[in-house]
Amino acid sequence: GLYKCNPCMRVCPGPKHTVLRFVVKFFPPDHTVLLEELTRYLFALQVRQDLASGRLTCSDPSAALLVSHIIQSEIGDFEETRFSQTKHEYYRLLEVASRLEMYGIRLHPAKDREGTKLSLAVAHGGVLVFQGHNRINDFNWSKIRKLSFKRRRFLVKLRQNVNQDTLEFLMASRDCCKMFWKICVEYHAFFRLFEEPRPKPKPVLFSRGSSFRFSGRTQKQVIDYNCRTDKAYCIAKELLNTERTYLKDLELITVLFQGVLDKEDCVPEALKTLLTSTYEPLHSHHTHFLQELEERLSLWEGQCNMQVKGEIQRLGDLLLKSALSAQLEMSSECVFALERACVASCRLECVCREFELQKVCYIPLNVFLLSPLHRLLHYRQILDRLCKHYPPTHTDYSDCKAALDDVCKLEAALRPGLEEIENYQKLLELQKDLIGVEHLAVAGRQLIRLGCLSKLSGKGLQQRMFFLFNGVLLYSTRGITSTNQFTVHRQLPLHGMTIRESEDEWGVPHSFTLMVQQQSLVVAARSESEMEKWMEDLKMAVDMAEESNGPTADLSHLLWASEVESEDDHRGSQTSLQCNGNDSANTRHRGNTTAHVCWHRNTSVSKLDFSIATENQLSGNLLRKFKNSNGWQRLWVVFTNFTLFFYKTHEDEYPLASLPLLGYSVTHAGESENIHKDHVFKLHFKSHIYYFRTESEYFFERWMTVIRSATASASRTRYLNRTEPD
């Protein structure tokens, strides 16, 4: 009423027709953090106002798309569905708007030292500089040491590692300069700080400078306040995060890879048809699934009655329709078909190799092709945790249990084929890593373990890379060729092999001797546990060879010479390198494969490690801190293929950096390390130390679990007896 408006009238004395408007103060980059329906509605009104006033500039197609969502939200398709359709369109409107360059941008006129007209703005990431509506520079908060103003001059002091120490901008007046400075202070505090800044005590005698401080909860506090300790919500958040990564992996196949193949004449039409019929339905299905999931989680924390909450706070009904069984079965065939086509066409093989070297293809291409099968395993884990968490009387339990039963039945049917194709994919990857062996990926061959051992010779201990298959053991060295591939030195048949510990015999720690065909080979592992794992797998493989009908046929074209021969001597025998011309794919090779990481970290992985890693994948936001740094950096992190991949946000096309975890140890951060934060774990390898913070106890436990699956090599006993924590 009028009485309640009187304070506003006293604050804003002026003409009778003064109009006051509520406006959005902070524009988060991720629209999904807007949990409540009312909040999204108010943001949508702000977007509509900015678009109408010309403040939100964009291309004509983007403007048309925004207007279509606005009109749809006002009119709807049918009267009986208008309410739900309106909520849906608000969500879509914000999704489109948040990707625009000028979303949430408020321009403040300024000039540089030369008098050039510019505009300054501030966003969640830092201070921006515009010329007209074109961004010409930006200063991330991590680069800024101090923001200040002196009369009309706005000063940006940069950190010492930046070439220019201080930037100066001239604004229209002191009041304009101070107002923009206050906005910057508030944006920095809201988006960068974890807690509301405490006010500094007032000086007794005199003060210097402005005492303005941000007051109110930060974005981190708002999110923490809205997210209850409810485990079901945390499981749903994990599902959402990993689904985002999965959909991007599907997009790499359906958009990028198939786009490359469409430009080539060497691709069989049958292969194109197979890829299209397999992955496009999956991409379409999971696009809608992710949209439903995002909307479900955005409403999860909304203020509504308990009956509505019961309909919102559930996942079972969505997961009941989450798997397309026909496409899952076909994804294995896609790997086989692509390899057959590459064998038949050197040009196609070079095209695939070039594509695999792009930044966006952060893991081997075949792993992307198999991602639907891997995703099925993740759904099983998600549903299993939900069923263990819910009491049988919970409204979501019956749907989750039914979905879990469906997924388990489908997994049981696909498991034999999954194990076969996983082994085949590893053999294909090794084929690219090895020189001196061809036709590695053939029926019946199984990879059991690969990794580093030191070979004892007259020259002492020398590092070698060993590959244990059923029936044969190979060893090789790395770094002789420009492609950094491994050159095979020798093969040892397992039929008739004996293994014995020989530390006392040779005086070499963790050493053991392999005896076969009246020849001996003495090798040493880097630790007792590594020695035990090698000996365990070797004895198992020898037993398998003895139980077979006879000695396994040797791998064709293997080197027996003790001296390393040149690459040119073997190039003619390399099927994967028999391409015409001088394509760059012939001379370049991925250096981050599992074999190369094992070589650098002097460790090994087994078939069981690969199986565990396939089931343990995770995505989400983490705060990272280096050993000698003070600040924390917020990153989107994807764990897969024994590696952490780091992005600024989940929308980035390719990772900024990666951290292979083989050889690393993961522990809790100790009190002596002066971290003084909750939910912090430490990764360390030799002198390399990284600290990571999670947003809750649930995600702390989840990250610890999946990272341990990559940092702790598995024995068969641990794998067979493994149980996932509740």
Side-chain angles (χ1 to χ4, degrees), residues 266 339 341-354 432 567 570-588:
C266 59
E339 178 61 17
C342 286
V343 170
S345 169
C346 287
R347 172 58 190 163
L348 177 58
E349 182 184 9
C350 291
V351 168
C352 293
R353 189 76 65 89
E354 280 294 325
K432 299 172 186 176
E567 181 189 10
H570 311 292
R571 190 175 180 88
S573 66
Q574 282 292 98
T575 302
S576 61
L577 296 179
Q578 291 174 345
C579 294
N580 297 323
N582 295 317
D583 292 278
S584 59
N586 291 339
T587 57
R588 289 192 292 149

Side-chain angles (χ1 to χ4, degrees), residues 182-465:
K182 284 186 173 182
I183 296 173
C184 291
V185 170
E186 292 182 320
Y187 256 78
H188 177 268
F190 182 76
F191 286 107
R192 293 281 288 184
L193 301 185
F194 300 129
E195 299 174 352
E196 179 182 353
R198 298 177 181 178
K200 292 184 177 180
K202 294 182 179 179
V204 178
L205 298 178
F206 60 91
S207 63
R208 181 180 179 183
S210 175
S211 61
F212 173 76
R213 294 289 182 274
F214 170 76
S215 61
R217 290 183 295 183
T218 65
Q219 178 178 244
K220 176 70 164 56
Q221 289 175 313
V222 171
I223 293 175
D224 287 347
Y225 176 79
N226 288 327
C227 298
R228 298 178 295 281
T229 56
D230 182 12
K231 186 175 181 180
Y233 172 82
C234 295
I235 295 174
K237 187 69 175 291
E238 178 184 342
L239 176 63
L240 172 66
N241 290 342
T242 52
E243 191 71 19
R244 285 172 171 168
T245 298
Y246 175 52
L247 186 60
K248 284 179 68 92
D249 290 349
L250 289 176
E251 288 174 353
L252 179 132
I253 302 170
T254 57
V255 179
L256 300 180
F257 183 56
Q258 289 186 239
V260 170
L261 296 185
D262 288 341
K263 299 176 183 178
E264 299 290 337
D265 297 331
C266 59
V267 186
E269 287 300 322
L271 176 61
K272 291 182 180 180
T273 302
L274 178 63
L275 292 172
T276 300
S277 61
T278 300
Y279 295 100
E280 289 193 358
L282 285 168
H283 180 262
S284 176
H285 174 82
H286 286 277
T287 297
H288 295 298
F289 177 71
L290 179 60
Q291 291 173 353
E292 290 182 289
L293 191 58
E294 286 177 333
E295 293 176 8
R296 184 72 60 88
L297 257 73
S298 68
L299 294 171
W300 193 297
E301 296 293 334
Q303 295 180 356
C304 51
N305 60 50
M306 293 306 297
Q307 181 178 357
V308 176
K309 280 183 181 290
E311 293 298 317
I312 293 172
Q313 298 178 353
R314 53 202 307 241
L315 295 174
D317 59 321
L318 296 181
L319 288 166
L320 266 173
K321 51 183 179 180
S322 62
L324 301 179
S325 57
Q327 280 68 31
L328 296 183
E329 295 175 0
M330 291 165 58
S331 60
S332 296
E333 177 56 31
C334 289
V335 175
F336 289 120
L338 181 61
E339 178 61 17
R340 289 194 297 267
C342 286
V343 170
S345 169
C346 287
R347 172 58 190 163
L348 177 58
E349 182 184 9
C350 291
V351 168
C352 293
R353 189 76 65 89
E354 280 294 325
F355 181 81
E356 199 169 41
L357 290 171
Q358 296 182 26
K359 290 181 179 180
V360 69
C361 196
Y362 60 97
I363 52 178
L365 177 59
N366 284 333
V367 179
F368 284 105
L369 294 175
L370 294 177
S371 59
L373 287 169
H374 299 161
R375 191 59 178 151
L376 181 68
L377 306 181
H378 307 155
Y379 288 147
R380 187 249 297 155
Q381 286 192 348
I382 290 287
L383 286 163
D384 186 58
R385 284 199 291 273
L386 282 171
C387 288
K388 289 179 179 178
H389 170 68
Y390 288 140
T393 56
H394 193 279
T395 55
D396 198 24
Y397 179 82
S398 59
D399 282 345
C400 285
K401 188 64 171 65
L404 178 60
D405 291 342
D406 290 346
V407 168
C408 287
K409 290 178 183 177
L410 184 56
E411 181 187 350
L414 297 177
R415 174 63 73 175
L418 175 59
E419 293 177 353
E420 178 186 359
I421 193 62
E422 279 290 325
N423 179 72
Y424 182 70
Q425 187 272 321
K426 297 298 182 300
L427 295 176
L428 291 177
E429 184 178 325
L430 289 180
Q431 182 71 70
K432 299 172 186 176
D433 281 329
L434 289 171
I435 291 178
V437 57
E438 64 177 4
H439 307 308
L440 189 63
V442 296
R445 181 159 296 131
Q446 295 181 22
L447 173 66
I448 298 174
R449 181 175 288 273
L450 64 90
C452 278
L453 292 170
S454 295
K455 174 180 172 289
L456 183 63
S457 67
K459 298 179 181 179
L461 290 172
Q462 297 176 317
Q463 184 178 359
R464 294 291 183 261
M465 191 72 183

